[in-house]
């Protein structure tokens, strides 16, 4: 694994996992479909950087989620709805130990012992997280909800306006 400063989050990003380095500082392990990177930043800072890369801040994305769905705590966000990048936090984003998981890459979620849950990704990789099974399932469902609501808004907006002929029928 190679250490980098920042890396753009892409549709191939599976998760940004919070870990502690040898000095006890929180760092981000970025899991991609075919690679892993370690960034010298907290996962939430990496998510904020990715949001800004696509024209908004994490705070703005969280406010958007609240406006669309009413979700206020541990809000799932879209980094870029056009490319399907929806992520959810495993803890409060203010917690340095918060990891972020890409909704579209999850294949299965399994309960483990002692409040841990494993996430199996579609590419076959797996991570174990310090989050209860119920909480992770809740985050998955909330992300699916915001994804549906936002995708529905985008589809309605892209629909061509009705022509004069349609009004008569």
């Amino acid at each position: 694994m190679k250490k980098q400063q920042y890396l753009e989050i892409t549709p191939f990003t599976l998760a940004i996992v919070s870990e502690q380095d040898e000095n006890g500082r929180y760092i981000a392990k970025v899991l991609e479909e075919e690679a892993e990177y370690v960034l010298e930043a907290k996962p939430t800072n990496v998510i904020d950087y990715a949001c800004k890369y696509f024209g908004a801040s994490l705070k703005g994305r969280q406010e958007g989620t609240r406006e669309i769905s009413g979700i206020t705590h541990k809000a799932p966000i879209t980094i870029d709805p056009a490319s399907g990048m929806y992520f959810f936090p495993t803890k409060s984003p203010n917690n340095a130990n918060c990891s972020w998981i890409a909704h579209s890459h999850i294949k299965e979620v399994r309960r483990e012992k002692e409040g841990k849950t494993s996430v199996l990704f579609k590419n076959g990789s797996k991570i174990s997280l310090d989050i209860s099974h119920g909480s992770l399932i809740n985050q998955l469902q909330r992300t699916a909800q915001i994804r549906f609501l936002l995708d529905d808004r985008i589809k309605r907006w892209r629909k061509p306006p009705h022509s004069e002929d349609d009004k008569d029928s």
Side-chain angles (χ1 to χ4, degrees), residues 13 93 112 131 135 138 152:
T13 305
E112 291 185 2
I131 182 174
S135 184
N138 186 47
D152 187 56

Side-chain angles (χ1 to χ4, degrees), residues 25-40:
R25 289 183 303 240
Y26 284 97
I27 57 171
K29 182 167 136 181
V30 179
L31 306 176
E32 299 277 335
E33 283 184 356
E34 297 188 14
E36 290 184 8
Y37 303 92
V38 173
L39 303 178
E40 295 180 9

Side-chain angles (χ1 to χ4, degrees), residues 1-19:
M1 259 184 296
K2 152 174 107 164
K3 279 192 178 182
Q4 296 185 350
Q5 274 307 100
Y6 277 101
L7 166 84
E8 280 76 33
I9 302 306
T10 72
F12 305 108
T13 305
L14 308 176
I16 299 109
V17 181
S18 180
E19 293 188 349

Side-chain angles (χ1 to χ4, degrees), residues 7-146:
L7 166 84
E8 280 76 33
I9 302 306
T10 72
F12 305 108
T13 305
L14 308 176
I16 299 109
V17 181
S18 180
E19 293 188 349
Q20 285 185 297
D21 68 9
E22 58 277 354
N23 299 315
R25 289 183 303 240
Y26 284 97
I27 57 171
K29 182 167 136 181
V30 179
L31 306 176
E32 299 277 335
E33 283 184 356
E34 297 188 14
E36 290 184 8
Y37 303 92
V38 173
L39 303 178
E40 295 180 9
K42 294 174 186 163
T44 298
N45 293 346
V46 174
I47 289 288
D48 186 41
Y49 176 83
C51 289
K52 288 175 180 171
Y53 183 83
F54 286 99
S57 66
L58 172 58
K59 184 176 180 182
R61 294 295 192 197
Q62 291 167 322
E63 288 172 2
T65 293
R66 184 177 61 246
E67 287 297 316
I68 292 169
S69 68
I71 298 170
T72 58
H73 295 79
K74 293 196 310 184
I77 56 132
T78 177
I79 290 176
D80 176 39
S83 58
M85 290 193 293
Y86 290 83
F87 282 74
F88 63 86
T90 59
K91 299 183 183 304
S92 165
N94 296 326
N95 185 326
N97 198 24
C98 174
S99 296
W100 290 80
I101 312 299
H103 184 260
S104 62
H105 289 284
I106 296 175
K107 179 179 180 182
E108 189 177 342
V109 174
R110 294 183 185 153
R111 186 183 318 265
E112 291 185 2
K113 294 180 182 179
E114 300 168 12
K116 290 187 177 264
T117 304
S118 62
V119 176
L120 180 63
F121 294 103
K122 292 175 184 174
N123 74 345
S125 63
K126 177 182 160 185
I127 58 172
S128 179
L129 297 166
D130 188 21
I131 182 174
S132 73
H133 184 262
S135 184
L136 196 119
I137 293 296
N138 186 47
Q139 286 299 89
L140 270 173
Q141 291 171 342
R142 289 161 39 125
T143 307
Q145 177 189 13
I146 189 66

